[in-house]
Amino acid sequence: MKRKLILSSFMLIAGISYSPACTNLIVTKGASADGSNIITYAADSHQLYGFLNYMPAADYPEGAMMSVYEWDTGRYLGEIPQVRHTYAVVGNMNEHQLTIGETTYGGREYIDSTAMVDYGSLIYIALQRCRTAREAIALIDGLMQKYGYASEGESFSISDPEEVWIMDIIGKAPKYDKKGKNTNKGAVWVAKRIPDGYISGHANQSRISKIDFNDPDNCLYAADVISQARKQGIYEGSDADFSFCDVYNPLDFGTVRGCDARVWAWFNRFADGMEEYTDYAMGYNLAKRMPLYVKPTHRISVKEVADMMRDHYEGTPMDMTTDIGAGGSHSPYRWRPMEFEYEGHSYVNERAIATQQTGWWF
């Protein structure tokens, strides 16, 4: 019997001064109640209007070209060669159950104005052309290096019926010649497979730190991921000490309290020992970094994952139903902007997984 991959869903919110705000939660088949890989994705923007996209499988003649448009704006980016056959895609899953979600983390602002593929294009081109997560990682890398990368830092959840990977990407610092051509196009990246039996997630913060250089079964990376950092003057240490997220998306109070804290809430609900990382999640101790993945106390059901997507830090020190903004009705909802001032002091509301501002989700 074919093992199925389940998509589950619900709502999210906008980050501390971030507009492209999303959350992905991940459950591997060995950690799920029904033996399926489960991932979630919520695009949190009241300016988005979701729709269920359908791309039928198709055959193309030799020499056909594919027009590429920026996902967020619809801006035409250019043309790339089409493949002879594409797979059917519904939403963010294709006919082979390959599924891709994402969260934007910004990071160091290296944007190539001449690039021809953005993060959304990469997702949907990979879904049309790939059967497995590993194939998708290889294709995404190839497209970025050949045509340039037109987006900010991104974390992808890439899942098939057997494996789930997180892939962290950021563009290289562009160098334009006199004709306006970028001579340093492409992106650097690292991808890690989440071990079977574990759960993971990401929420607008790069989460992959150390790179396992000699473990291609579980860790893949761009060949120049470290040399680019050295060339750009943002890293001087040894290869062994290199940490992708610390170099390309450094932590600060806002990125942890507004982003990683959502992943902590997910881990805290289903894994033991997460109180050890409460001060990290609250932004008080950034040196006590939370792990990329944890082992849950029991096999998690689709319903439990859907319920988690409705979380507002209930039962934790960041519980939004009990803070001063909750009012007499104990409401966990906060409108934008997340920041506010009172008597000359600035404050910020919590950024939970759940929000009334989600544009679309799966």
Side-chain angles (χ1 to χ4, degrees), residues 141 145 172 184-189 221-232 242 248:
D141 176 45
Q145 310 316 341
K172 300 175 184 178
N184 193 42
K185 65 182 177 181
V188 291
W189 58 274
Y221 54 92
D224 58 350
V225 65
I226 299 178
S227 61
Q228 274 293 317
R230 290 199 174 101
K231 187 184 297 184
Q232 291 160 202
F242 182 83
Y248 289 111

Side-chain angles (χ1 to χ4, degrees), residues 68-87:
V68 179
Y69 298 89
E70 190 171 41
W71 191 21
D72 289 328
T73 66
R75 178 172 64 97
Y76 176 72
L77 296 176
E79 284 189 334
I80 65 173
Q82 183 58 278
V83 293
R84 296 301 299 273
H85 178 77
T86 58
Y87 303 125

Side-chain angles (χ1 to χ4, degrees), residues 318-334 349:
M318 294 178 278
D319 192 335
M320 295 176 70
T321 67
T322 61
D323 68 24
I324 195 170
S329 60
H330 301 286
S331 171
Y333 301 113
R334 310 287 184 269
N349 287 308

